[in-house]
Amino acid sequence: MEVEKEESEEIPSTSSNPVEDPGPSQARVETESDDEDIEIPSILDSITQQQIDEFRPFHERYFEKKYCTRFTTDTVNLDTCVRIHTNKISLIYLSEKHSVIQNQQRLQSIDFQVSKKVNRLKNAMFGKGKRGAQLLQPDSILCHLETVDGARYPVHACVYGKLLEINSRVIKEPNFLLDDLNEGFLAIILPDLRRHEENVKSLKSVEEYNT
């Protein structure tokens, strides 16, 4: 009995023009070629010279500048500058009109022992509420400035709040407080939010201060 052999059928191609699969090396070359054709503009091209010239420093963009004049007398100027951050934190500086600056005096030291029991450098606090921090009122003395020629000036807190920090740099370099009225702050105060509006209203704006 003779067994017929089955012929294998060829499966016809579904595409009349088959596309060759490029190897990895060819794909990489094309990608690199595409990248070379893309021109990436400099980020500086998006900023005009006028914008650069008008760009305000950090302390002007995020702080409102106020002045406390309530402790100045006919014989001595004790004005302070209070810069209030957008989050209401306050930084205390000397005013440019303060007697120690106007008289061109130099500091011998800064005395933070404001009473027998209170030293502003011994300010222990903990927790989110800054519990244990020294409580301050506007007339609370933060320190006394002691000049080379023997003068002594008190610096007041000017606002209700809690003492967060004394600037460590002015402890080491007292005259930094006089030489840089932008970076040379004396203290950082966390305001009493219940009395924040009262704090702000008690201070003068830049326009009011200079008129």
Side-chain angles (χ1 to χ4, degrees):
M1 184 176 178
E2 215 175 275
V3 180
E4 294 182 359
K5 295 182 180 179
E6 297 181 358
E7 295 182 0
S8 60
E9 297 182 358
E10 291 185 3
I11 300 176
S13 172
T14 58
S15 174
S16 58
N17 297 315
V19 178
E20 294 183 2
D21 182 21
S25 60
Q26 183 180 354
R28 178 177 59 81
V29 171
E30 289 178 356
T31 301
E32 290 179 352
S33 176
D34 291 343
D35 288 345
E36 290 175 357
D37 294 336
I38 297 175
E39 183 178 352
I40 301 176
S42 170
I43 191 172
L44 296 178
D45 294 339
S46 63
I47 305 173
T48 66
Q49 186 60 47
Q50 182 179 357
Q51 289 175 315
I52 295 175
D53 295 338
E54 295 177 352
F55 188 75
R56 296 184 300 160
F58 175 83
H59 60 267
E60 291 183 9
R61 284 180 286 133
Y62 298 104
F63 289 86
E64 182 181 9
K65 195 174 185 180
K66 298 280 190 177
Y67 288 92
C68 176
T69 61
R70 61 185 294 184
F71 304 106
T72 289
T73 67
D74 293 337
T75 58
V76 62
N77 187 304
L78 298 177
D79 291 355
T80 52
C81 174
V82 182
R83 283 187 169 144
I84 304 173
H85 193 269
T86 52
N87 63 9
K88 298 182 175 60
I89 294 289
S90 298
L91 273 64
I92 308 300
Y93 297 76
L94 294 185
S95 163
E96 60 273 17
K97 296 182 182 180
H98 194 287
S99 288
V100 72
I101 295 176
Q102 291 298 311
N103 297 337
Q104 298 183 347
Q105 294 169 290
R106 303 303 287 171
L107 297 181
Q108 180 69 41
S109 62
I110 301 178
D111 183 11
F112 292 97
Q113 187 74 43
V114 296
S115 70
K116 290 182 179 180
K117 294 183 178 180
V118 180
N119 187 318
R120 298 303 183 196
L121 298 182
K122 297 179 180 179
N123 185 43
M125 58 185 172
F126 57 93
K128 292 183 179 179
K130 308 304 179 185
R131 288 172 290 178
Q134 295 177 12
L135 298 177
L136 299 170
Q137 296 183 358
D139 59 353
S140 298
I141 295 177
L142 293 173
C143 67
H144 287 92
L145 307 179
E146 299 179 335
T147 66
V148 174
D149 56 10
R152 184 175 168 90
Y153 301 97
V155 180
H156 298 85
C158 301
V159 295
Y160 292 96
K162 294 180 179 180
L163 178 62
L164 292 186
E165 180 183 332
I166 295 293
N167 187 350
S168 60
R169 183 164 180 180
V170 302
I171 298 173
K172 300 175 182 178
E173 305 173 47
N175 286 294
F176 185 60
L177 189 67
L178 315 181
D179 297 337
D180 192 333
L181 297 181
N182 292 323
E183 299 294 334
F185 67 90
L186 175 65
I188 302 176
I189 297 176
L190 176 67
D192 183 344
L193 295 181
R194 297 168 298 181
R195 309 190 75 164
H196 177 66
E197 291 301 321
E198 182 180 352
N199 284 341
V200 174
K201 289 180 180 179
S202 69
L203 305 172
K204 292 184 177 182
S205 68
V206 175
E207 292 76 14
E208 292 171 331
Y209 187 66
N210 291 323
T211 56

